[in-house]
Amino acid sequence: MSRSHTTGPATDDPAGTPARRARVVWSAVAALLVALGWCWSLATPMMSSPDEPSHVVRAAGVARGQVSLPTADALVDTAEPGVAGLVRLPSDYAASVTLPNCFAFQPDQPASCQQDLPEPGAPVDARTYAGQYPPLYYALVGWPSLLLPASGGLVAMRLVSALLTGLLVTWGLYRLHRVEGNRAGVWGAAVALTPMCFFLGATVNPAGFEISAAFAFWAACLAVVLGRGPVTTGALVQAVVAGALLVNTRSTGPVWALAIVVVALVAAPAGRWRDIVAHPRFRWLVAATAAASAVAVGWLVTHPAVVTTKDLHPGFADPRTVALSVVGKGSEYLLNMIGDYGWLDAPSPPVTFVAWYAMAGAVLLLAFAAARPTRRRVALLLLVLGVAGAPLALQVPTAVDTGLIWQGRYALPVAVGVPLLAALVVGVDRRPEGELLRRVARGALPVVLVGHVAAFYWASRRYAEGLEGDVLTFHPDWTSPIGYLTGTALYAAVVGALTWLAWRSYRPVDDTPAAPGPASAAARRSTSDAATAAAAAEPAPATTD
C-alpha cells in the first residue's frame, strides 16, 4: 500500500512538502549540470575536442541511415589511425572536418584562424575514423544535422550531447543520495567528476556519454550492494538502463561494465547477492540485461576493428619495451583524466591538478585507513590496481600494430568509481568520527570549485589568446558565443550553485533519540532537508518491491 493510502490525500500528507521540495531540488541539480556542460559546449571552438571531426561525420551519417560504412583505400603509413569509413554528407558538413587544422596541436595559436563554413551544397564523401563505433550515441546526437546547416548543426549536436550527459550524471547523483545511512556519495562524486568529464560530455564525442553512463551505472551498483535497506526496483532498473547505455556506446563499454559489476560484488556484504536474486523482478531485469549485452556483442563481432593498422610499429614488438614506455607515461595519463582539453594542447593549470591530487589522495587515504568491513577495502584496492593496470593490459598485446594510443581519459568510465567507492567506504554518518568526516567532505567542495573554475578559465584563454598570450585581456583574438571572461563568470556561478547545494547536503544531523510517533518522525525529517527530499522523491522500498 502506498503512503498516500495510509496518510490521506496528498494535501494532508506530511511528506507532500518534502516531495515537492525534492522535485525542485533535483530539477535544479539537473538544470545546473546541463548548464555546466553547455558552458563547455559554447566556450570552446568547434572541432576542438579529440577526434571531434570524425565523430561529427559519424553522427551526421548515422542520422542519415549510414550505419555500416564502406571504407576508403587501405592504410599505408602511420599518419592515420586506421582505415577510414566513407559517409555521404552535405558539403558544409564535409568541410567542417578541416576546422581544427589551423590550431590543433598548436597551444600558442588562438582559434581566430578558423575559417567560416561554406553554404550547404550537394552531398560529397567525408571520412571518419569512428565508422566502427556502435551507432547508439551518434543516433542520439546526430539528428540536428538533418534540420540545420553545419554552422548551427555542430553547436546543436554539442548541446544535445551535454544535455544527455548532464541528465545521466544527475541520475547517478540521485541514486548515490539514496544510499541509506551514508551521505558520502556526493563527496565522492565531486572528486570523481573531473573537468575532463564535463568537457568531453559537452562536445561531439562518445567518450563523455560513456563516462556519464558509467557514472550512473556505478551509482546504481553501489547503491544496490551497499545500501542498508531492501534492494529497490529503482536501483536495479537504473543499473540495467545505465549498463545498457554503457555497453552500447564504445567498444570498451562491455569491459568496463564487467569490471564495475565484479568490483560491486566483491564489495557487497555477505548475503546481499541472495537479496538481489530474490527480488521479484530479477529475472526480467536479467533478461533485459542479456538483450542489451547481445546487441553490444553482436555489433563488436560484426565490426571488430576500430583501429586496423598492421605491424606499423615494429619498435613495440618487445612487450618489455611497451611495458616500460607505458609506465613512463603514467603521470601523463593521470593529468589527462583530470583535464587536458582540445587536441591534448590545452592542459589545466597547476591549481586544478593540485586540487584533484589533494582531494583524491585524501579520500583514498581515509578509505584504506577506515575501520570498515574488509570486503569494501579489498574491492577498492582491486579497483585502483585495475585502473592503474588497464593501460598495460590493453596496450601490450596491440602496440606493435597501433602504437601507444592510450590516453588517460579512456579509463575514466571505470576510474570515476575509485572516489565513489572510497567515499562510501569512509562514510559520513553518526559514528564517533562522523562529525570530522562531515567537515572533511564539506572542506573538499570549495577546493573542487576552485579547480573547476581555473580549468575552464585556462581552456577558454587557450583558444582566446593562446597559452603564450596575455593571462588576462579584454580584447582577445578569438571570442566564443558566451565570451571569454563572461563565460568564465557564468561557469563559476553554475559550479558555485552546485557547490552550495552539495554543501547544504552535509549539514549536521541531529543524533538525539526521539520517541516514535508522527511528531518525532517530522522532527527527524527536518534535520536534513536534502536527504529527506531525495527520499521522498522515490517510493519507499516496501511499496516498490
Side-chain angles (χ1 to χ4, degrees), residues 141-159:
V141 304
W143 58 266
S145 68
L146 300 174
L147 308 175
L148 299 169
S151 56
L154 300 181
V155 177
M157 282 193 279
R158 279 187 166 194
L159 296 178

Side-chain angles (χ1 to χ4, degrees), residues 72-358:
D73 295 335
L75 185 70
V76 295
D77 58 36
T78 59
E80 297 177 288
V83 176
L86 297 179
V87 179
R88 295 286 291 178
L89 296 179
S91 59
D92 55 335
Y93 279 95
S96 69
V97 299
T98 65
L99 288 177
N101 290 357
C102 69
F103 61 76
F105 309 112
Q106 302 179 57
D108 299 333
Q109 174 61 57
S112 53
C113 64
Q114 201 171 58
Q115 300 296 314
D116 293 333
L117 288 169
E119 293 296 321
V124 297
D125 283 341
R127 298 164 69 92
T128 175
Y129 299 103
Q132 301 289 75
Y133 280 57
L136 173 64
Y137 168 78
Y138 301 103
L140 293 173
V141 304
W143 58 266
S145 68
L146 300 174
L147 308 175
L148 299 169
S151 56
L154 300 181
V155 177
M157 282 193 279
R158 279 187 166 194
L159 296 178
V160 171
S161 184
L163 172 65
L164 296 173
T165 55
L167 293 178
L168 282 171
V169 169
T170 303
W171 201 13
L173 287 172
Y174 172 75
R175 189 56 54 192
L176 290 170
H177 213 285
R178 293 280 296 171
V179 177
E180 294 186 23
N182 197 332
R183 294 187 293 156
V186 174
W187 176 16
V191 180
L193 297 169
T194 66
M196 194 68 176
C197 298
F198 291 106
F199 166 74
L200 290 171
T203 60
V204 184
N205 193 316
F209 187 79
E210 180 187 36
I211 294 165
S212 59
F215 178 81
F217 187 53
W218 267 115
C221 290
L222 293 178
V224 166
V225 301
L226 300 183
R228 294 180 182 177
V231 178
T232 66
T233 302
L236 289 176
V237 169
Q238 179 172 332
V240 171
V241 174
L245 295 176
L246 174 60
V247 300
N248 284 285
T249 299
R250 297 180 76 239
S251 59
T252 51
V255 176
W256 301 143
L258 179 60
I260 293 168
V261 170
V262 169
V263 170
L265 290 178
V266 172
R272 191 63 172 178
W273 177 242
R274 290 194 299 272
D275 295 338
I276 296 172
V277 173
H279 191 279
R281 296 177 177 83
F282 178 75
R283 287 178 294 179
W284 293 102
L285 296 172
V286 167
T289 300
S293 301
V295 172
V297 171
W299 178 268
L300 294 178
V301 168
T302 54
H303 302 78
V306 174
V307 178
T308 55
T309 57
K310 183 66 176 176
D311 295 329
L312 290 179
H313 301 270
F316 291 130
D318 185 353
R320 292 172 298 179
T321 301
V322 180
L324 289 174
S325 299
V326 171
V327 171
K329 288 178 171 287
S331 61
E332 178 183 322
Y333 296 151
L334 186 58
L335 294 177
N336 189 245
M337 283 195 283
I338 298 171
D340 191 359
Y341 320 105
W343 293 74
L344 303 182
D345 56 13
S348 295
V351 65
T352 300
F353 295 128
V354 170
W356 254 271
Y357 291 155

